[in-house]
Amino acid sequence: MIDHVRDIASVREATDRLIEAVSSWDNAALAEPSLLPGWTRGHVLAHLSRNADALVNVLQGLPMYKDAETRDADIERDAGRPLDAQLADLRATADRFEKVCGEPADWERTVELRNGVTDRAARVPFRRWVEVALHHVDLGVGYGLGDLPDEFTAREIEFLADRWSGRPDVPPVTLRARNGEDSPVWHTGGTEGTPVVLEGGVAEILGWLAGRGDRGARLAVVEGPGLPELPPL
């Protein structure tokens, strides 16, 4: 059951945590590479601000972005700003997102995101939480996948496992968390190819599904030919 009110609060907590982590930087730190290929830390922060605006558009029934080219150009334009400008933008866009989320609305309505993807409005706050939490990891400031809240990790694994389900380019995969007798199990992938069973910690499972960290290198292949390679998100 999606609790969008609780997710809105979680977005605020995650945003405050990220802002606190970067507030002590200098401008040179923004120009350093992030953990995302081709992006500096400034690109990551610029993307977070523009994504908040984009999700405001979604909740207001507008196109998420004008087009892919404009999205990319806006991130590139804002990536080189000094720290004070980046922080001011992060705070202002977070406030706008929270304000729009607080307005009376039908949270069961269907909204459209990028590339024709649709979802319930109630899922949008969680999608924003995903952006903030995973991109905090991408900044490479010592905040890793294992530091993410347990609730977030479990929900994002479930979300991503569903995302890769039914894909003909991903074999049938069973994911087993190594957490004792009541360890959760997830299934993903399509129906073609040799089935694979992977086992490991939830942070490693999330890393494989989200293409982050060591990308599942520490997962044990219990059955099957090896660790499948997932398409880009």
Side-chain angles (χ1 to χ4, degrees), residues 79-233:
R81 295 176 300 176
L83 181 64
D84 59 350
Q86 295 275 20
L87 291 176
D89 199 10
L90 283 169
R91 293 186 180 103
T93 53
D95 289 345
R96 280 199 293 274
F97 178 76
E98 190 168 19
K99 180 177 182 295
V100 169
C101 286
E103 295 172 354
D106 174 14
W107 287 97
E108 295 303 312
R109 72 191 188 279
T110 298
V111 295
E112 184 172 344
L113 295 104
R114 293 182 66 196
N115 304 320
V117 173
T118 59
D119 205 344
R120 290 168 53 212
R123 286 281 291 265
V124 171
F126 180 68
R127 285 179 175 271
R128 176 59 182 172
W129 188 8
V130 170
E131 292 287 332
V132 176
L134 290 185
H135 285 313
H136 191 166
V137 173
D138 295 332
L139 289 172
V141 292
Y143 185 79
L145 294 169
D147 297 311
L148 294 166
D150 291 343
E151 176 194 357
F152 171 85
T153 298
R155 288 176 63 185
E156 180 63 352
I157 289 174
E158 183 176 356
F159 176 80
L160 290 173
D162 181 68
R163 179 169 181 165
W164 297 125
S165 292
R167 292 283 298 256
D169 48 351
V170 180
V173 179
T174 297
L175 297 160
R176 300 199 310 226
R178 196 181 291 133
N179 292 332
E181 293 184 1
D182 297 325
S183 298
V185 176
W186 299 272
H187 300 279
T188 193
T191 59
E192 302 177 15
T194 304
V196 176
V197 177
L198 303 175
E199 185 176 87
V202 291
E204 286 72 38
I205 291 174
L206 176 58
W208 178 67
L209 289 168
R212 284 168 165 84
D214 60 14
R215 290 166 167 74
R218 288 186 289 170
L219 290 174
V221 181
V222 180
E223 297 178 19
L227 182 71
E229 183 176 346
L230 292 174
L233 280 171

